[in-house]
Each structure stands twice: as structure tokens, then as C-alpha cells.
Amino acid sequence: MPRAFLVVMDSVGIGGAPDADRFFNGDRPDTGANTLGHIAAACATGAAEEGRSGPLHLPHLDALGLGAALRLASGARGEGLDADPVGLWGAAQEVSVGKDTPSGHWELAGLPVPWDWSYFPDQTPAFPDDIVDEVKRLAGADGILGNCHASGTEIIARLGDQHQKTGWPICYTSADSVFQIAAHEESFGLDRLLQLCEGLAPMLHDRRVGRVIARPFIGEPGSYARTGNRHDYAMTPPAPTLLDWAQGAGRKTIAIGKIRDIFAGQGVDEVLKGEDRTLMAHLADCVATAPEGSLTFANFVEFDSLYGHRRDVSGYARHLEWFDAAIGPVLAAMRPDDLMILTADHGNDPTWSGTDHTRERVPVLAKGPYSGQIGIRAFADVAASVAAHLGIPAKGPGESFCEGR
């Protein structure tokens, strides 16, 4: 039986979302945001030279159709991204009303989000008193720190010392529908932090807040660093997704990265986690050993978490080039009847104002027994196409772009 690999390059948008004017970073609409296009332009003009140099170099992704997808989605021409595609390629646009991680992933898995998420106001304090009181009760603390919109690395650097002295958890949010809690793994305790977030999650989920995120860190004053023990307590999808379809058909499902967290464990048989370089090794192992008929679903988050939100153009370009070089041998090791789809869940243009995601179309690139242009599709078509390749029933609104090719 054929196998399928769905790989999300978190936030690698390609511009052109027709409803971008409805989404904002501060007071600025996302109209014109283009994560890949603007990174390529910066590289071509010598504006992204930290740790790398010259035009953006992505030969494996471009051969699959990345540059062609960029042109299709937004009309932008990325210097160095001009290959004639040999794979199946196109772009996709989202219908869910959020530009967040759960919305993008759920819709790629065949389930457009059927509601508006709840968000916290960009003011201080940001959280209602009853939520603050519940955090204090669950943490056994007399107060909380933060209570605002913030960058995770910035707020840890700013409040880490006070957290160590008081034992109060650092609570913050962003433009996403999230409630994040940072705490020191040693002085506060990792298990205590995870229990706090798990206990708080039902209250937040009842209010349509998509995720409660544990953000553990380590270190001493002046040198704090987040660890890889992040855990997302996400709302359970309200209907079956591609993972459930596959599992229900008796196929093994493997979640790489934060996929298990995004889907609240629903439809997942095996979980493989780590930093992006570790995740690439996991993906290579799955290509080598995953059983017949299986579905491997992977998320590579560091494009977004380390470079997009921090508006680090050079770092984003470096990570794209690392990913391209690393995915080459993985693609070469695939079996003839395997399908690997590489896509994204939203944009996060590092040249844009603010620090939030950007509303963009995303690339859809496929290596496998299919080829040609698929045009601009719906996110949900990705799930339908994976299901068609695996020979399992699709139970979502999408239409396959694999059948008949």
C-alpha cells in the first residue's frame, strides 16, 4: 500500500491572500505581505547576509515548484527561484477566519474551523480577573507576572529574575488565540508547569481560546533560554480530521513535531518530538521505516518561532536553506509509490511590521507519482488528496488534486 507524508513548513507563506485586508499587524493590514517573496528579495539585495550570503538558494524545493508557486500565488518573482517544476505544484488559500496554527493545520487536515476564536485585548492587564484567579489557585501562587501581550523571549528576559524571586508564573498572550505560561524548569518545576497548563486549559477552551501553552525555560539571571519541553494544550477538533480518517481505516499515524499538540492527540498513534534538526532525522527515519499505508504528519516550527515572530530575515533565510539541503536526501529516499506534500499553515513575513502571523496563500509541493500544476486550491484539498493517495475515504469538504494525474 502507498504511504503519505504531509510536511508543514510553519509560516512559509507566498503572499497573495485575497482577504489579507481583513487581517492586521497592529493597525497595518496584511495586504502585500509575502514571507518567501520578501525574504528572496532581501537576499538578492544583500540585506540578509548574517550567517549566509547571496540570493536565496533552495534547489530542491524550487525543483518541486516553489518559485512557480510563488509566482502563481502573488505574481512575485524570487531571484534564484526560477526552476521548471518537475513535481506537482500549486498554491492553497484558507477559508477559516484565523491566521493561527490550529486553524491552518485543522483545515489542511480537512476541517475548516467552524467558529471565530477568542482573543485577548492588546492592553495591560490583558486577562480577566477570573482567569488570573484560576491561574493563581492552580499554581499555588499569590500572583502572576506579565498579564500582557509579549514576545516569549523578551518577557522571559524581562521578568525571569522576578519569577525566580517570587515563584509567580509569567503569563502572556499574542495576536493568536493563546494563553502562554512561562516558568523555570528547576525553580518552578516542569511537571508543575505542565499540570498548571493542563488544569487551566478547559476553562480557556470553553471560551474559544485555542491553546494554553507551557513555555519552560532554564538558565540564570541574564542568560535565560527556552527549552524543547514546550507543550500545547489545544482544543480538540470538533470533527474527525485526516488523522482520524487514516486511523479509522486501520492505518498507522505518526506525528512529528507539535502535530500531536495541535490536534490534542486525536487520531495519533506515535509521537516524535525535538528541535527542527531532530525532526528532520525523524522524518528521514519514517521515510525509511514507516509501515505500508501509513500517514506521517510533520510540522517544522522554527521558521515561525525563531525567525518569523522575531522578524529575523537572515535567520529565516538560513533556515530555509538548511531545510532545503536537509530535505534533499529525504526526498531521494522515498519509494516510487510514496507521496510527500510540503506546504505551510499561514505566513509570518519577517519584513512586515509587528510580530504576528501574516495572512497569505501557501505553497503546495508534492513529490510522488503525480506531476503538473494544480492551480490555487483550498487548504482542505490537501487532506482530500492525501486520503485519495492512501485509498481511504475522505470525510471533509476538499477535493483531491491527485486523482486523474
Side-chain angles (χ1 to χ4, degrees):
M1 290 189 292
R3 306 179 302 171
F5 304 86
L6 177 53
V7 178
V8 177
M9 303 177 291
D10 201 302
S11 84
V12 182
I14 52 176
D19 59 356
D21 61 330
R22 295 170 43 211
F23 297 83
F24 292 81
N25 264 266
D27 295 330
R28 184 185 187 187
D30 287 343
T31 308
N34 192 327
T35 300
L36 181 65
H38 289 158
I39 292 170
C43 291
T45 59
E49 296 286 304
E50 296 177 18
R52 61 163 309 281
S53 186
L56 193 60
H57 184 63
L58 306 174
H60 298 104
L61 294 174
D62 195 31
L64 290 179
L66 183 60
L70 174 65
R71 295 188 291 275
L72 173 69
S74 62
R77 306 189 68 86
E79 183 170 335
L81 302 177
D82 51 10
D84 291 326
V86 296
L88 181 147
W89 64 275
Q93 60 192 33
E94 190 174 6
V95 300
S96 299
V97 295
K99 54 176 177 176
D100 54 275
T101 294
S103 295
H105 282 76
W106 289 9
E107 193 169 327
L108 288 169
L111 180 63
V113 177
W115 57 65
D116 290 344
W117 297 105
S118 295
Y119 303 90
F120 295 107
D122 191 359
Q123 62 188 38
T124 303
F127 307 127
D129 289 344
D130 61 337
I131 293 178
V132 173
D133 290 342
E134 183 67 359
V135 174
K136 289 160 57 178
R137 185 187 72 81
L138 290 168
D142 294 331
I144 69 169
L145 302 173
N147 201 346
C148 60
H149 281 239
S151 157
T153 52
E154 178 276 329
I155 200 168
I156 290 169
R158 175 163 54 89
L159 297 178
D161 292 358
Q162 191 175 353
H163 164 73
Q164 293 269 61
K165 293 174 183 176
T166 63
W168 294 2
I170 302 171
C171 302
Y172 62 103
T173 188
S174 70
D176 281 355
S177 180
V178 296
F179 189 99
Q180 305 192 69
I181 306 179
H184 198 282
E185 283 196 2
E186 296 168 357
S187 63
F188 190 89
L190 177 60
D191 288 344
R192 182 183 173 199
L193 172 61
L194 296 178
Q195 290 168 9
L196 166 59
C197 292
E198 184 177 11
L200 182 66
M203 180 183 191
L204 276 293
H205 293 166
D206 284 346
R207 302 183 186 197
R208 298 287 191 232
V209 176
R211 289 176 291 164
V212 176
I213 305 177
R215 289 287 199 173
F217 64 95
I218 57 173
E220 304 297 331
S223 61
Y224 294 117
R226 295 196 296 200
T227 76
N229 292 320
R230 163 183 170 159
H231 191 89
D232 293 33
Y233 295 87
M235 288 184 65
T236 300
T241 71
L242 173 63
L243 288 161
D244 301 295
W245 309 345
Q247 193 179 64
R251 309 301 181 83
K252 182 171 183 178
T253 59
I254 304 168
I256 296 178
K258 63 178 186 176
I259 294 299
R260 181 199 178 282
D261 294 348
I262 294 168
F263 291 89
Q266 190 166 291
V268 174
D269 292 323
E270 181 178 351
V271 180
L272 300 169
K273 302 195 81 169
E275 308 298 331
D276 274 10
R277 281 163 174 76
T278 301
L279 300 184
M280 187 63 76
H282 289 322
L283 180 60
D285 288 343
C286 288
V287 167
T289 64
E292 296 294 325
S294 61
L295 168 64
T296 299
F297 196 167
N299 170 280
F300 288 82
V301 72
E302 291 175 10
F303 300 104
D304 185 63
S305 62
L306 296 186
Y307 308 113
H309 285 300
R310 300 182 191 182
R311 297 303 190 243
D312 181 351
V313 180
S314 294
Y316 207 128
R318 287 197 309 272
H319 206 62
L320 282 166
E321 291 173 336
W322 163 78
F323 182 90
D324 185 88
I327 200 70
V330 178
L331 294 169
M334 290 171 56
R335 301 174 189 173
D337 61 348
D338 285 343
L339 171 66
M340 181 179 291
I341 294 178
L342 297 109
T343 186
D345 53 342
H346 49 69
N348 199 345
D349 188 341
T351 74
W352 213 243
S353 57
T355 60
D356 189 18
H357 297 151
T358 43
R359 181 72 162 189
E360 301 179 43
R361 288 171 171 156
V362 300
V364 179
L365 315 175
K367 167 74 182 295
Y370 318 101
S371 62
Q373 182 187 154
I374 60 171
I376 296 174
R377 309 293 296 240
F379 272 34
D381 291 354
V382 172
S385 302
V386 171
H389 177 76
L390 291 174
I392 62 175
K395 302 176 182 179
E399 298 181 0
S400 172
F401 46 69
C402 289
E403 292 175 305
R405 291 184 175 273

